[in-house]
Amino acid sequence: MMASSDVDIRGSLFSDQNPSEMDALCPSPPGPSRPQRHYERIGGRTGTSFCQTLIHLLKGNIGTGLLGLPLAVKNAGLVLGPVSLLCMGIIAVHCMRLLVSCSHHLSVKVNRPSLTYGEAVQYGMENVSWLRRHSQWGKRTVNLFLIITQLGFCCVYFVFLSDNVKQVVEAANATTFSCQMNHTNQTQTLVPSFDSRLYMLCFLPAIILLVFTPNLKYLAPLSLVANLVMTASLILIYFYSLTNITYPFNLPKVGRAKDYPLFFGTAIFAFEGIGVVLPLENKMQRPQSFTLVLYMGMGIVTFLYISLGTIGYMCFGEQIGGSITLNLPNCWTYQAVKLLYCFGIFITFALQFYVPAEILIPPVVARVSERWETAVDLLLRTVLVIFTCALAVLIPELDLVISLVGSVSSSFLALIFPPILQILAFHEEGLSPLVTAKNIVISLVGLVGFLTGTYIAIVEIVNRNAQKHEETFSSYLVQ
C-alpha cells in the first residue's frame, strides 16, 4: 500500500512527478528507461530484477489491511466474504493491468519513457478534445487521493499501535507461557490502563523524530528487519488460527446487508496497492516481464487475504476484533508477535509518510529563504504528523478507520479511475461496446462502494462515540 512514481516536485503542490517510498529505498537507475513499445532498460543490468520487483509488490500490498480481513469476512459472511474477496481481487488486478496498459499507450503518444498515475490521467484527458483544457485537474485529483490515502494509512497506524501496545501493557501481569484458547476474551484486561488515545500521544514524539530522517535510505536496514519480523509474525498468526479453528456451523454464511459496505471498505483498503504498480514497472530491468510479476504477486496476495480472512473468522468467530492481533492470547509468544508487528508498522509509518510529505512540503520550502529551509521542512513534517495523530484521536476505532479510508480514497484509485482512464486513453482508437460497458460497470461498483461505505462508516463512528459518551456519563453518575 504505497504510492506513485518519482523525481523532483519542487515548485508545484500537485506536480508532474509523484514520489513513492520505492524512490527512496529503491532509486531509479541512471539513464533512459525504456525505448517506446519494445521497452527494456538501456545499460542491461541497472533496473530491479524479477524477484526484487515481486518482493516490492508483495510489500506494497501486505500491511495492516490484511490483519483486518477476518472482521471483513464477518461483515460479509463465511461464504459471501471469501467469494467477494476473490471477485474483488480479480477486479483489482484487472484495474492494475489497465493502468499499466494505458501508461504504455500514452507514453508512446507523448514520447515519454514512463508516466506516473497522475500523468497518465492527465494525458488521457488530453486525448479527449473537450477535456483537454481541464487535464491538469485530472492529475491533481489523482495526487489528492494519493495524499488522502497515504495520510489515512498513517492514521490507521496510530490506532493500530495504540490498541496493540495498550493490550500488551494491560495484560503484562497475566502473561504466561501457556497459549490456551479462550473463546470469550483472548487477552483479559487485568491491569486497567490509559485510554488508547493517550497511547497515541505517547507515540507522537517518537514518530515525529522518525519522519525527521533526512533520507529514507538510512531506514533501509530497519525496513528489512521490519519486513522479516512482520513475516515471522504472520506465520505465527496463521499457525495459531489454523490450530484453533472451531466448527463454523453456527457462523452466518451471509452477513447483514448493512454491514456489507464495511466489508467493502476494509477489503479495498487491503487491495489498494495500485499506487506501487507504475513505479515498480518503471524501475524494472526488463519491464516486459512485469505482467507476470503482477499476476504472480497479486495471486499470492489474494490467496493470503482470502485464507487469513476466512481462517481468522473461523477461529475467533463473533469475537473477532478490528485486527486479528487483538484476539491473540496473552502468552509470551503472541504478546511478542503483537510487539514485533508494531515495530514493523512503526518503521513503515515513515515510508507511507514519505509520499504526502514529498508532494506537500517542497513547494512550501521553495518559497522561503535558504537559511529557513530546514526549519520550515521540519515544522511542516511535525504539523502533518500531528494532523494524522489528531484524526486518529478523533476516530480511535481501528476497524472503522480502515473501512473509512478504504471507502473514501482507495475505491477511487483502485476501481474508479483505471476503467475511466482506459476509455479516455483509447478514445481515438475506439473501444468495443462490451469493453466500454465493462469499464462503466467496474467504475459504478467502485462509486457505489465509495458512497455506501463512507456513509455506513461515518454512521458507525458517530454511533460508537455516542455509546462511549453514554457509558462514561453513566459511570460518572454511579460514582
Side-chain angles (χ1 to χ4, degrees):
M1 300 160 207
M2 306 178 200
S4 90
S5 178
D6 27 327
V7 204
D8 184 22
I9 50 128
R10 292 181 71 90
S12 172
L13 180 59
F14 297 107
S15 65
D16 290 345
Q17 302 284 352
N18 301 329
S20 77
E21 48 270 53
M22 233 88 64
D23 298 319
L25 297 178
C26 180
S28 295
S33 55
R34 62 172 183 247
Q36 303 300 332
R37 290 189 184 274
H38 303 289
Y39 47 98
E40 183 170 354
R41 293 232 173 260
I42 294 176
R45 302 180 181 177
T46 52
T48 55
S49 68
F50 183 97
C51 290
Q52 288 172 330
T53 306
L54 178 61
I55 291 171
H56 283 309
L57 182 65
L58 293 174
K59 184 179 184 301
N61 283 275
I62 297 175
T64 53
L66 172 63
L67 302 180
L69 287 176
L71 180 60
V73 172
K74 173 191 172 184
N75 288 328
L78 187 59
V79 173
L80 183 59
V83 172
S84 298
L85 280 174
L86 177 61
C87 294
M88 190 168 290
I90 293 172
I91 295 173
V93 175
H94 176 67
C95 289
M96 292 177 183
R97 187 71 188 92
L98 286 183
L99 180 60
V100 173
S101 175
C102 292
S103 173
H104 291 169
H105 179 74
L106 292 169
S107 63
V108 171
K109 294 191 71 169
V110 299
N111 196 28
R112 292 277 301 274
S114 63
L115 298 177
T116 67
Y117 197 160
E119 288 174 334
V121 173
Q122 175 189 350
Y123 291 126
M125 292 179 66
E126 289 182 1
N127 211 33
V128 181
S129 58
W130 57 276
L131 290 175
R132 192 167 296 143
R133 55 186 286 186
H134 305 294
S135 62
Q136 286 287 330
W137 284 103
K139 178 185 63 182
R140 291 169 182 167
T141 301
V142 169
N143 291 352
L144 176 62
F145 277 106
L146 287 170
I147 293 171
I148 293 172
T149 300
Q150 298 303 125
L151 291 180
F153 291 159
C154 293
C155 291
V156 169
Y157 290 174
F158 263 112
V159 182
F160 180 89
L161 290 169
S162 65
D163 283 356
N164 282 272
V165 171
K166 178 177 185 289
Q167 195 179 76
V168 171
V169 171
E170 289 180 340
N173 289 344
T175 302
T176 66
F177 289 99
S178 174
C179 296
Q180 293 284 327
M181 181 77 168
N182 179 355
H183 290 284
T184 57
N185 184 6
Q186 290 302 305
T187 302
Q188 299 174 0
T189 303
L190 301 175
V191 180
S193 183
F194 305 116
D195 186 279
S196 62
R197 288 167 286 198
L198 292 178
Y199 280 89
M200 297 180 200
L201 296 178
C202 292
F203 278 112
L204 183 59
I207 291 178
I208 289 175
L209 292 176
L210 180 71
V211 302
F212 280 176
T213 306
N215 192 323
L216 289 187
K217 291 180 183 179
Y218 300 140
L219 291 179
L222 286 178
S223 182
L224 175 61
V225 173
N227 292 339
L228 293 175
V229 299
M230 289 171 72
T231 301
S233 298
L234 278 178
I235 292 173
L236 289 172
I237 291 170
Y238 263 100
F239 174 79
Y240 183 83
S241 301
L242 282 169
T243 54
N244 289 278
I245 288 180
T246 56
Y247 293 104
F249 300 122
N250 296 328
L251 298 178
K253 306 303 184 287
V254 177
R256 296 180 299 178
K258 71 172 187 176
D259 292 333
Y260 194 80
L262 294 176
F263 161 83
F264 174 87
T266 304
I268 200 62
F269 176 93
F271 272 112
E272 203 286 297
I274 195 168
V276 306
V277 169
L278 291 183
L280 284 177
E281 196 264 352
N282 291 337
K283 293 175 186 295
M284 277 195 77
Q285 176 185 343
R286 298 177 59 85
Q288 63 268 41
S289 303
F290 183 74
T291 300
L292 180 58
V293 173
L294 181 63
Y295 289 147
M296 183 182 296
M298 292 309 298
I300 295 172
V301 167
T302 303
F303 171 76
L304 290 175
Y305 286 179
I306 295 174
S307 61
L308 186 62
T310 306
I311 293 168
Y313 180 40
M314 290 171 63
C315 178
F316 299 108
E318 296 300 315
Q319 304 297 325
I320 190 66
S323 168
I324 192 173
T325 55
L326 299 175
N327 289 88
L328 297 176
N330 56 325
C331 63
W332 287 110
T333 301
Y334 292 101
Q335 297 294 64
V337 165
K338 297 172 191 176
L339 293 177
L340 289 174
Y341 215 96
C342 284
F343 170 76
I345 292 300
F346 176 76
I347 299 300
T348 307
F349 188 102
L351 303 181
Q352 302 290 7
F353 183 82
Y354 173 83
V355 178
E358 290 302 305
I359 292 176
L360 295 172
I361 293 176
V364 179
V365 172
R367 288 170 170 77
V368 301
S369 62
E370 188 174 347
R371 61 178 294 193
W372 291 103
E373 284 185 356
T374 301
V376 171
D377 179 86
L378 297 180
L379 176 63
L380 291 177
R381 288 175 183 272
T382 303
V383 169
L384 281 176
V385 174
I386 292 175
F387 174 71
T388 58
C389 182
L391 290 179
V393 167
L394 290 173
I395 317 173
E397 306 290 342
L398 182 60
D399 57 327
L400 296 182
V401 175
I402 290 176
S403 185
L404 182 62
V405 173
S407 299
V408 169
S409 56
S410 300
S411 56
F412 276 92
L413 293 174
L415 298 181
I416 298 176
F417 289 153
I420 294 175
L421 176 59
Q422 187 185 34
I423 295 175
L424 298 176
F426 293 90
H427 170 72
E428 295 178 349
E429 288 76 6
L431 290 172
S432 69
L434 186 62
V435 172
T436 302
K438 177 263 299 179
N439 287 348
I440 292 174
V441 168
I442 293 175
S443 292
L444 286 178
V445 168
L447 183 61
V448 171
F450 157 70
L451 294 174
T452 57
T454 302
Y455 173 76
I456 296 298
I458 292 176
V459 168
E460 287 295 316
I461 289 169
V462 172
N463 289 341
R464 286 197 196 176
N465 283 336
Q467 183 179 356
K468 284 186 175 181
H469 285 309
E470 288 180 6
E471 292 174 354
T472 303
F473 184 70
S474 299
S475 62
Y476 175 77
L477 290 178
V478 171
Q479 293 175 356

